[in-house]
Amino acid sequence: MKILGPSFYKQTTLEIAKNLLGTFLVHDSPNGKTVGKIVETEAYLADDPACHASRGETPRNKMMFDPPGHAYIYFIYGMYFCFNVVTAKKGVGEAVLIRALEPVEGIELMHKRRAKKNKGHFSIHELCNGPAKLVIAMGITKDMNGVDLSKGDLKLLRPSVTPDSDPGSPGRSRIQCGMTEIHTTTRIGIVQGAHLPYRFYFKDNPFISKR
DNA sequence: GTCCTGATCCTCT
DNA sequence: GAGGATCAGGACG
């Protein structure tokens, strides 16, 4: 496994949203380690009315203007948090929302964290199939807003099959996606910019949030 | 299975 | 003061 470095973020936000599919989100917490494979993302661009940063910088969205590879975590609907990867160069507010993960490691811990919020029992497919769910399952907190995802306890990794400097190589696509096809649709739960085809997920993957 | 609602509070207007 | 990049549970069929 290899950390996603600066060269990965030289791509456009839409390319990053697609190429984050198949990479691994890792959190080393005091309670244990959890790992999930990213299977669903949404892109939010600077000139996109749905993007929090589209109307300029505010205290809430200022992390979106950080250099790429940082975390933007925001509070929504009075009780949930969503996790984004900042994607554009410093000063440009763009990000990719991580909408669903396929649990890979620390599945018991994910169950425990999700069960704390509500006493129901979840199938493995329901642990991380939504932006707020995966934040809970991974143990991500608002304190991690703005952290650098190439160092520290919360990291983005991918199989070290191809060099970091060649993120779009055919080799990588084969390894990362296997036979899996990437599906593109409009985004979930927004009104502004609802027609834009900025949602990406692995077709037929059982861990995505919505068909 | 689908649809509706309540929970709950920060953020920007 | 309104609204929001959500979720779970209940009603209904």
Side-chain angles (χ1 to χ4, degrees), chain A residues 41-203:
Chain A
T41 60
E42 283 181 2
Y44 287 85
L45 308 189
D47 63 351
D48 158 15
C51 179
H52 289 171
S54 67
R55 281 169 294 280
E57 189 173 330
T58 67
R60 178 205 200 190
N61 67 24
K62 69 176 197 296
M63 301 302 183
M64 291 185 84
F65 295 84
D66 276 355
H70 286 240
Y72 168 52
I73 299 164
Y74 67 88
F75 184 70
I76 188 74
Y77 295 130
M79 50 172 80
Y80 296 115
F81 292 93
C82 295
F83 170 74
N84 296 247
V85 180
V86 177
T87 52
K89 65 181 180 188
K90 186 170 165 56
V92 179
E94 302 197 341
V96 171
L97 170 70
I98 308 303
R99 283 197 58 89
L101 300 175
E102 177 175 331
V104 173
E105 196 181 320
I107 292 167
E108 277 315 301
L109 183 53
M110 292 184 184
H111 270 290
K112 229 181 274 178
R113 285 171 174 152
R114 293 269 282 121
K116 235 183 239 179
K117 272 263 189 200
N118 62 327
K119 48 191 176 216
H121 177 71
F122 297 100
S123 82
I124 187 168
H125 298 112
E126 296 169 312
L127 278 179
C128 299
N129 64 337
K133 297 182 194 181
L134 69 90
V135 162
I136 297 166
M138 292 293 291
I140 295 170
T141 68
K142 65 180 190 308
D143 301 332
M144 297 170 198
N145 192 18
V147 299
D148 185 336
L149 296 169
S150 67
K151 53 185 96 163
D153 298 331
L154 188 63
K155 292 184 290 284
L156 281 171
L157 304 177
R158 63 184 174 78
S160 51
V161 179
T162 53
D164 189 33
S165 58
D166 193 12
S169 76
R172 178 174 180 272
S173 323
R174 272 202 306 277
I175 297 298
Q176 254 204 350
C177 308
M179 299 300 288
T180 318
E181 189 184 326
I182 293 178
H183 216 70
T184 304
T185 69
T186 54
R187 294 169 294 183
I188 309 277
I190 57 171
V191 179
Q192 305 270 318
H195 64 288
L196 295 167
Y198 291 169
R199 174 173 176 245
F200 307 100
Y201 61 87
F202 283 145
K203 190 168 183 283

